[in-house]
Amino acid sequence: MMPIEPATIATAREKEIALVAWLRERGRVAIGFSGGVDSAYLACVAVDALGSANVLAIIGKSASYPAAQWAAARGVADRFGVPVLEIDTHEMEDPRYAANPANRCYFCKTELWSLLVPAARERGIDTVIDGTNADDMAGHRPGAVAANENAVESPLLIIGLTKAEIRALSQERDIPTWAQPSSPCLSSRIPYGIAVTATRLATIERAEAALRELGISGDLRVRYHDDLARVELGSVELERWLEPEASERLAAAVRNAGFERVAIDLRGFRSGSLNVLTGVSAA
Amino acid sequence: MSAAGLRSALVAAGLEAEVEGRERLALISPTDAVEARAIAERRGEVMALAIAHGFSHAALELAPTRRRSPALQTDAALPGD
């Protein structure tokens, strides 16, 4: 994690003041809460700004949401007094989602918000927000369309907080997610056009969990290519796990999770790697 | 994308491996542990060769347990054996 410059943290603090003001204007908020860096920060600031009685963090649970992520979300909520509501989502039952088109995230988020927004309204909360930040608009993000259609607001984006600033402010608040790698849903490991199934997601989740147990830290993706798992690691871990003995242990762990063949990507971790592979984004 | 072209380029660079093209992914399966080590150490060069042959990604297969290339199946059982 790159250290943040003093000037940057000063700017970030000013933005946080603006974020608190924005939240106070709303009075009560419900947050789409995954326990990732952004929504964890947003939930903690909201509790500080509004009090826990005026905040509800809603977790949408499904097969594409890793158990480790759920545990991290609950850990942050417990520690910082964030009230949580858990809702089961059923995007896997939507054939438009399961077919895994390039706009798959749109169908997932449509399902998510179609459940979360009414749940918030039933509890007298009119403002529903998410953790989209100022960096997020650069990539391929069809899920943002679903948020707009459901009147979900993105205060981190509105205020202009970047991922680096959110990490720095999270560190100041001692929120454990500050150094957590980005953690998109498990379906992002499956190339577009290859069906998303509960079995495939479970295999990917087992493989990534097994690699974490081996001690791999930082960015990690197990990309699904039918019988083959293509493992993407951050640059430091890549160096380490290409060593002969280490690579044998890595391969064994991934095979035990259910893949027949295992390969390490020679360039290492790239966010949106499968978008490049399938031609959705430029290389 | 040309898996055969990339394989030839790797051989010319002194690296023995099979190459399987999976759309824009080049799956490189080294012939043995020594070659695997060499490919890992020269991965920047290997990546550049893969890109030159039209691939966006290159991955090194770890401890391949079996070979799919007919060229490497010369000792496979014949039908009816």
Side-chain angles (χ1 to χ4, degrees):
Chain A
M1 206 64 56
M2 292 286 287
I4 195 161
E5 298 290 331
T8 306
I9 189 67
T11 305
R13 287 182 189 133
E14 287 173 14
K15 290 180 184 177
E16 187 175 88
I17 291 168
L19 174 63
V20 168
W22 189 96
L23 290 165
R24 286 185 175 149
E25 281 176 19
R26 270 71 188 171
R28 300 187 77 198
V29 296
I31 303 166
F33 184 60
S34 68
V37 178
D38 304 314
S39 66
Y41 168 74
L42 184 56
C44 292
V45 174
V47 165
D48 258 9
L50 307 174
S52 59
N54 293 312
V55 176
L56 182 62
I58 308 181
I59 297 174
K61 290 185 75 178
S62 76
S64 66
Y65 183 63
Q69 184 74 26
W70 172 82
R74 295 299 315 211
V76 168
D78 290 347
R79 181 166 158 192
F80 291 88
V82 180
V84 171
L85 173 69
E86 294 187 4
I87 291 179
D88 289 327
T89 63
H90 307 283
E91 66 274 12
M92 301 288 295
E93 295 166 20
D94 182 347
R96 297 169 300 175
Y97 175 89
N100 199 11
N103 64 341
R104 177 197 65 230
C105 296
Y106 171 78
F107 299 111
C108 176
K109 295 298 184 187
T110 296
E111 163 73 1
L112 179 73
W113 298 125
S114 74
L115 296 171
L116 264 63
V117 171
R121 301 271 152 79
E122 284 166 15
R123 289 160 178 80
I125 303 173
D126 292 330
T127 302
V128 180
I129 60 179
D130 73 2
T132 302
N133 69 54
D135 292 331
D136 286 339
M137 290 299 103
H140 169 69
R141 291 181 184 267
V145 177
N148 286 336
E149 288 176 353
N150 286 275
V152 175
E153 298 187 80
S154 304
L156 302 177
L157 173 63
I158 292 167
I159 301 299
L161 277 161
T162 65
K163 192 77 162 191
E165 290 170 335
I166 292 164
R167 288 189 186 281
L169 293 168
S170 296
Q171 186 178 17
E172 284 197 328
R173 289 173 171 268
D174 200 24
I175 304 170
T177 50
W178 76 269
Q180 178 177 293
S182 294
S183 46
C185 85
L186 291 169
S187 298
S188 68
R189 278 59 152 179
I190 302 177
Y192 293 130
I194 306 297
V196 175
T197 67
T199 301
R200 288 173 179 164
L201 295 177
T203 305
I204 293 164
E205 184 172 15
R206 277 197 305 273
E208 292 193 356
L211 295 181
R212 291 293 186 204
E213 280 181 22
L214 284 182
I216 293 176
S217 61
D219 291 312
L220 162 67
R221 301 284 188 277
V222 172
R223 307 290 191 187
Y224 177 92
H225 298 275
D226 193 16
D227 59 333
L228 171 75
R230 178 171 56 85
V231 179
E232 292 185 1
L233 302 174
S235 56
V236 174
E237 293 284 13
L238 178 62
E239 191 79 36
R240 173 183 167 203
W241 290 95
L242 278 170
E243 292 294 321
E245 188 189 336
S247 68
E248 282 181 23
R249 288 199 293 136
L250 183 150
V254 176
R255 283 201 189 97
N256 285 340
F259 284 100
E260 187 180 333
R261 302 172 75 187
V262 186
I264 291 190
D265 191 282
L266 290 175
R267 199 190 292 195
F269 169 73
R270 277 188 279 175
S271 178
S273 165
L274 284 175
N275 293 343
V276 175
L277 197 61
T278 53
V280 174
S281 301
Chain B
M1 276 72 72
S2 170
L6 176 56
R7 183 179 185 280
S8 297
L10 291 172
V11 170
L15 299 167
E16 283 289 341
E18 290 300 307
V19 178
E20 191 180 325
R22 293 191 174 201
E23 299 184 347
R24 301 176 78 190
L25 166 66
L27 177 61
I28 300 170
S29 302
T31 51
D32 57 34
V34 174
E35 294 299 326
R37 178 88 173 169
I39 291 167
E41 286 175 351
R42 295 168 62 186
R43 60 184 177 277
E45 185 184 344
V46 172
M47 194 65 228
L49 288 172
I51 290 169
H53 285 82
F55 294 99
S56 61
H57 293 63
L60 174 66
E61 186 170 13
L62 302 179
T65 52
R66 62 177 174 144
R67 303 292 183 197
R68 282 165 177 69
S69 165
L72 292 174
Q73 293 179 346
T74 51
D75 57 351
L78 294 170
D81 272 4

